[in-house]
mmCIF file of all heavy atoms in Angstrom:
data_model
loop_
_atom_site.group_PDB
_atom_site.id
_atom_site.type_symbol
_atom_site.label_atom_id
_atom_site.label_comp_id
_atom_site.label_asym_id
_atom_site.label_seq_id
_atom_site.Cartn_x
_atom_site.Cartn_y
_atom_site.Cartn_z
ATOM 1 N N THR A 117 12.968 3.686 -9.716
ATOM 2 C CA THR A 117 12.141 3.620 -10.913
ATOM 3 C C THR A 117 11.246 2.357 -10.809
ATOM 4 O O THR A 117 11.650 1.376 -10.190
ATOM 5 C CB THR A 117 12.999 3.492 -12.209
ATOM 6 O OG1 THR A 117 13.741 2.223 -12.251
ATOM 7 C CG2 THR A 117 13.987 4.642 -12.246
ATOM 8 N N LEU A 118 10.156 2.418 -11.450
ATOM 9 C CA LEU A 118 9.161 1.341 -11.432
ATOM 10 C C LEU A 118 9.717 0.046 -11.994
ATOM 11 O O LEU A 118 9.645 -1.020 -11.401
ATOM 12 C CB LEU A 118 7.859 1.733 -12.180
ATOM 13 C CG LEU A 118 6.726 0.706 -12.069
ATOM 14 C CD1 LEU A 118 6.223 0.574 -10.732
ATOM 15 C CD2 LEU A 118 5.607 1.203 -13.047
ATOM 16 N N ASP A 119 10.339 0.134 -13.124
ATOM 17 C CA ASP A 119 10.886 -1.047 -13.786
ATOM 18 C C ASP A 119 12.000 -1.767 -12.946
ATOM 19 O O ASP A 119 12.008 -2.967 -12.874
ATOM 20 C CB ASP A 119 11.402 -0.731 -15.182
ATOM 21 C CG ASP A 119 10.382 -0.468 -16.246
ATOM 22 O OD1 ASP A 119 9.227 -0.814 -15.947
ATOM 23 O OD2 ASP A 119 10.585 0.172 -17.220
ATOM 24 N N SER A 120 12.855 -0.932 -12.380
ATOM 25 C CA SER A 120 13.899 -1.525 -11.500
ATOM 26 C C SER A 120 13.304 -2.168 -10.302
ATOM 27 O O SER A 120 13.796 -3.308 -9.834
ATOM 28 C CB SER A 120 14.917 -0.441 -11.099
ATOM 29 O OG SER A 120 15.621 0.004 -12.227
ATOM 30 N N LEU A 121 12.386 -1.540 -9.667
ATOM 31 C CA LEU A 121 11.725 -2.158 -8.474
ATOM 32 C C LEU A 121 11.044 -3.428 -8.832
ATOM 33 O O LEU A 121 11.114 -4.415 -8.117
ATOM 34 C CB LEU A 121 10.704 -1.155 -7.889
ATOM 35 C CG LEU A 121 11.286 0.005 -7.110
ATOM 36 C CD1 LEU A 121 10.318 1.094 -6.959
ATOM 37 C CD2 LEU A 121 11.879 -0.489 -5.757
ATOM 38 N N LEU A 122 10.394 -3.482 -9.953
ATOM 39 C CA LEU A 122 9.703 -4.737 -10.442
ATOM 40 C C LEU A 122 10.627 -5.840 -10.768
ATOM 41 O O LEU A 122 10.230 -6.996 -10.775
ATOM 42 C CB LEU A 122 8.777 -4.359 -11.664
ATOM 43 C CG LEU A 122 7.549 -3.533 -11.344
ATOM 44 C CD1 LEU A 122 6.865 -3.159 -12.640
ATOM 45 C CD2 LEU A 122 6.595 -4.274 -10.414
ATOM 46 N N SER A 123 11.903 -5.504 -10.914
ATOM 47 C CA SER A 123 12.925 -6.515 -11.224
ATOM 48 C C SER A 123 13.376 -7.313 -10.003
ATOM 49 O O SER A 123 14.027 -8.327 -10.071
ATOM 50 C CB SER A 123 14.111 -5.960 -11.986
ATOM 51 O OG SER A 123 14.911 -5.170 -11.063
ATOM 52 N N LEU A 124 12.993 -6.757 -8.789
ATOM 53 C CA LEU A 124 13.371 -7.450 -7.570
ATOM 54 C C LEU A 124 12.451 -8.545 -7.251
ATOM 55 O O LEU A 124 11.250 -8.444 -7.467
ATOM 56 C CB LEU A 124 13.353 -6.370 -6.401
ATOM 57 C CG LEU A 124 14.355 -5.182 -6.538
ATOM 58 C CD1 LEU A 124 14.042 -4.185 -5.462
ATOM 59 C CD2 LEU A 124 15.779 -5.689 -6.364
ATOM 60 N N LYS A 125 12.973 -9.625 -6.686
ATOM 61 C CA LYS A 125 12.192 -10.794 -6.363
ATOM 62 C C LYS A 125 11.056 -10.381 -5.361
ATOM 63 O O LYS A 125 11.282 -9.746 -4.357
ATOM 64 C CB LYS A 125 13.014 -11.836 -5.747
ATOM 65 C CG LYS A 125 12.287 -13.076 -5.357
ATOM 66 C CD LYS A 125 13.101 -14.190 -4.708
ATOM 67 C CE LYS A 125 12.322 -15.377 -4.271
ATOM 68 N NZ LYS A 125 13.049 -16.424 -3.661
ATOM 69 N N GLY A 126 9.854 -10.860 -5.674
ATOM 70 C CA GLY A 126 8.744 -10.638 -4.806
ATOM 71 C C GLY A 126 8.106 -9.260 -4.830
ATOM 72 O O GLY A 126 7.186 -8.991 -4.026
ATOM 73 N N VAL A 127 8.588 -8.380 -5.698
ATOM 74 C CA VAL A 127 8.016 -7.019 -5.757
ATOM 75 C C VAL A 127 7.051 -6.934 -6.940
ATOM 76 O O VAL A 127 7.549 -7.006 -8.105
ATOM 77 C CB VAL A 127 9.168 -5.963 -5.888
ATOM 78 C CG1 VAL A 127 8.589 -4.635 -6.120
ATOM 79 C CG2 VAL A 127 10.070 -6.024 -4.672
ATOM 80 N N GLY A 128 5.793 -6.706 -6.657
ATOM 81 C CA GLY A 128 4.762 -6.488 -7.665
ATOM 82 C C GLY A 128 4.458 -5.053 -7.819
ATOM 83 O O GLY A 128 5.073 -4.190 -7.188
ATOM 84 N N ARG A 129 3.473 -4.758 -8.685
ATOM 85 C CA ARG A 129 3.168 -3.401 -8.903
ATOM 86 C C ARG A 129 2.673 -2.619 -7.726
ATOM 87 O O ARG A 129 2.997 -1.404 -7.518
ATOM 88 C CB ARG A 129 2.089 -3.282 -10.068
ATOM 89 C CG ARG A 129 2.610 -3.852 -11.351
ATOM 90 C CD ARG A 129 1.607 -3.457 -12.509
ATOM 91 N NE ARG A 129 1.524 -2.079 -12.751
ATOM 92 C CZ ARG A 129 2.434 -1.440 -13.556
ATOM 93 N NH1 ARG A 129 3.398 -2.065 -14.216
ATOM 94 N NH2 ARG A 129 2.364 -0.145 -13.680
ATOM 95 N N LYS A 130 1.901 -3.249 -6.839
ATOM 96 C CA LYS A 130 1.440 -2.606 -5.576
ATOM 97 C C LYS A 130 2.583 -2.121 -4.753
ATOM 98 O O LYS A 130 2.655 -0.950 -4.359
ATOM 99 C CB LYS A 130 0.571 -3.537 -4.846
ATOM 100 C CG LYS A 130 0.235 -3.028 -3.407
ATOM 101 C CD LYS A 130 -0.353 -4.142 -2.520
ATOM 102 C CE LYS A 130 -0.371 -3.660 -1.024
ATOM 103 N NZ LYS A 130 -0.920 -4.706 -0.144
ATOM 104 N N THR A 131 3.557 -3.052 -4.492
ATOM 105 C CA THR A 131 4.709 -2.694 -3.672
ATOM 106 C C THR A 131 5.540 -1.628 -4.357
ATOM 107 O O THR A 131 6.007 -0.679 -3.762
ATOM 108 C CB THR A 131 5.565 -3.953 -3.360
ATOM 109 O OG1 THR A 131 4.786 -4.851 -2.588
ATOM 110 C CG2 THR A 131 6.793 -3.578 -2.614
ATOM 111 N N ALA A 132 5.863 -1.801 -5.623
ATOM 112 C CA ALA A 132 6.667 -0.831 -6.373
ATOM 113 C C ALA A 132 6.151 0.511 -6.350
ATOM 114 O O ALA A 132 6.843 1.543 -6.085
ATOM 115 C CB ALA A 132 6.870 -1.364 -7.788
ATOM 116 N N ASN A 133 4.849 0.677 -6.641
ATOM 117 C CA ASN A 133 4.193 2.006 -6.634
ATOM 118 C C ASN A 133 4.188 2.609 -5.212
ATOM 119 O O ASN A 133 4.386 3.799 -5.106
ATOM 120 C CB ASN A 133 2.779 1.899 -7.140
ATOM 121 C CG ASN A 133 2.672 1.923 -8.642
ATOM 122 O OD1 ASN A 133 3.003 2.883 -9.263
ATOM 123 N ND2 ASN A 133 2.228 0.824 -9.236
ATOM 124 N N LEU A 134 3.962 1.818 -4.213
ATOM 125 C CA LEU A 134 4.017 2.321 -2.838
ATOM 126 C C LEU A 134 5.367 2.788 -2.440
ATOM 127 O O LEU A 134 5.483 3.844 -1.763
ATOM 128 C CB LEU A 134 3.548 1.287 -1.831
ATOM 129 C CG LEU A 134 3.067 1.772 -0.401
ATOM 130 C CD1 LEU A 134 2.068 2.884 -0.552
ATOM 131 C CD2 LEU A 134 2.541 0.670 0.347
ATOM 132 N N VAL A 135 6.446 2.115 -2.855
ATOM 133 C CA VAL A 135 7.794 2.522 -2.579
ATOM 134 C C VAL A 135 8.069 3.837 -3.319
ATOM 135 O O VAL A 135 8.665 4.793 -2.729
ATOM 136 C CB VAL A 135 8.813 1.445 -2.970
ATOM 137 C CG1 VAL A 135 10.242 2.011 -2.844
ATOM 138 C CG2 VAL A 135 8.662 0.202 -2.011
ATOM 139 N N LEU A 136 7.655 3.929 -4.530
ATOM 140 C CA LEU A 136 7.844 5.192 -5.322
ATOM 141 C C LEU A 136 7.248 6.375 -4.622
ATOM 142 O O LEU A 136 7.837 7.476 -4.482
ATOM 143 C CB LEU A 136 7.329 5.062 -6.657
ATOM 144 C CG LEU A 136 8.084 4.160 -7.697
ATOM 145 C CD1 LEU A 136 7.334 4.125 -9.048
ATOM 146 C CD2 LEU A 136 9.463 4.644 -7.925
ATOM 147 N N THR A 137 5.955 6.254 -4.149
ATOM 148 C CA THR A 137 5.282 7.377 -3.544
ATOM 149 C C THR A 137 5.767 7.624 -2.136
ATOM 150 O O THR A 137 5.976 8.820 -1.775
ATOM 151 C CB THR A 137 3.760 7.146 -3.553
ATOM 152 O OG1 THR A 137 3.511 5.886 -2.861
ATOM 153 C CG2 THR A 137 3.222 7.003 -4.984
ATOM 154 N N GLU A 138 5.923 6.588 -1.302
ATOM 155 C CA GLU A 138 6.324 6.843 0.121
ATOM 156 C C GLU A 138 7.748 7.144 0.342
ATOM 157 O O GLU A 138 8.111 7.979 1.173
ATOM 158 C CB GLU A 138 5.846 5.600 0.929
ATOM 159 C CG GLU A 138 4.405 5.417 1.117
ATOM 160 C CD GLU A 138 3.772 6.306 2.140
ATOM 161 O OE1 GLU A 138 4.468 7.159 2.660
ATOM 162 O OE2 GLU A 138 2.610 6.135 2.473
ATOM 163 N N ALA A 139 8.637 6.443 -0.438
ATOM 164 C CA ALA A 139 10.063 6.621 -0.188
ATOM 165 C C ALA A 139 10.681 7.770 -1.070
ATOM 166 O O ALA A 139 11.592 8.487 -0.545
ATOM 167 C CB ALA A 139 10.816 5.352 -0.490
#
Side-chain angles (χ1 to χ4, degrees):
T117 67
L118 184 64
D119 288 342
S120 294
L121 286 164
L122 290 173
S123 74
L124 297 170
K125 179 181 178 180
V127 175
R129 296 192 66 87
K130 169 192 167 182
T131 296
N133 276 294
L134 195 55
V135 171
L136 286 178
T137 57
E138 289 284 6

